[in-house]
């Protein structure tokens, strides 16, 4: 049976951006992920070892966010790769990374990049 794990509104600090000030000062980012996988086994076993452990997934995301990148697309790709390496059962999903305070002189909530697979 297909199912998914959602991680919504995960706020982390990171040093991602094209401008030197972004790499120096950093920014707050908000991540939302949907990770699709077969949930048949954990539905029956009730065993954390049979599922995608979202607490561990958050730590994987946190680690990837600590490595500076110029582009959010690159960060999202690294997060995807790290999660799939740890959890090969992930069959698809999406990752959205929003920069909450972009260095753009405009009134906006955030800018974001989303990757889907």
């Amino acid at each position: 049976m297909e199912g998914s794990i959602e991680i919504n509104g995960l706020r982390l600090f990171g040093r991602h951006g094209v401008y030197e000030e972004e790499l120096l000062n950093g920014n707050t980012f908000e991540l939302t992920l949907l990770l699709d996988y077969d949930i048949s086994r954990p539905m029956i076993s009730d065993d954390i070892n049979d599922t995608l452990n979202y607490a561990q997934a958050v730590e994987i995301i946190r680690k990837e966010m600590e490595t500076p990148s110029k582009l959010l697309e690159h960060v999202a790709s690294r997060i995807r790769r790290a999660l799939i390496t740890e959890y090969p059962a992930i069959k698809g999903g999406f990752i959205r990374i929003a920069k909450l305070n972009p260095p753009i002189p405009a009134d906006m909530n955030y800018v974001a990049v989303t990757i889907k697979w």
Side-chain angles (χ1 to χ4, degrees):
M1 177 176 286
E2 293 300 311
S4 59
I5 291 284
E6 294 181 43
I7 300 171
N8 290 296
L10 175 62
R11 289 183 182 232
L12 296 170
F13 178 81
R15 297 180 188 277
H16 311 299
V18 174
Y19 303 111
E20 190 166 325
E21 65 197 49
E22 294 179 282
L23 299 174
L24 182 64
N25 300 326
N27 209 319
T28 302
F29 296 84
E30 185 174 282
L31 293 91
T32 298
L33 296 88
L34 177 75
L35 305 171
D36 298 326
Y37 70 110
D38 182 350
I39 65 170
S40 301
R41 195 166 176 180
M43 288 176 65
I44 295 167
S45 71
D46 196 27
D47 186 339
I48 189 75
N49 296 309
D50 290 337
T51 192
L52 194 160
N53 183 327
Y54 52 80
Q56 288 178 344
V58 166
E59 290 309 311
I60 291 168
I61 297 163
R62 186 183 320 274
K63 182 179 178 191
E64 291 301 324
M65 287 294 291
E66 290 175 355
T67 302
S69 289
K70 291 179 182 174
L71 301 178
L72 294 181
E73 294 89 339
H74 186 254
V75 181
S77 175
R78 286 190 293 106
I79 291 170
R80 177 186 175 273
R81 188 172 36 253
L83 288 169
I84 290 173
T85 298
E86 181 67 25
Y87 299 107
I90 294 174
K91 297 180 180 190
F94 75 83
I95 299 171
R96 186 184 79 193
I97 305 176
K99 185 181 292 189
L100 299 186
N101 299 298
I104 301 170
D107 185 18
M108 67 177 80
N109 291 331
Y110 56 82
V111 296
V113 165
T114 301
I115 63 170
K116 302 172 187 175
W117 73 97

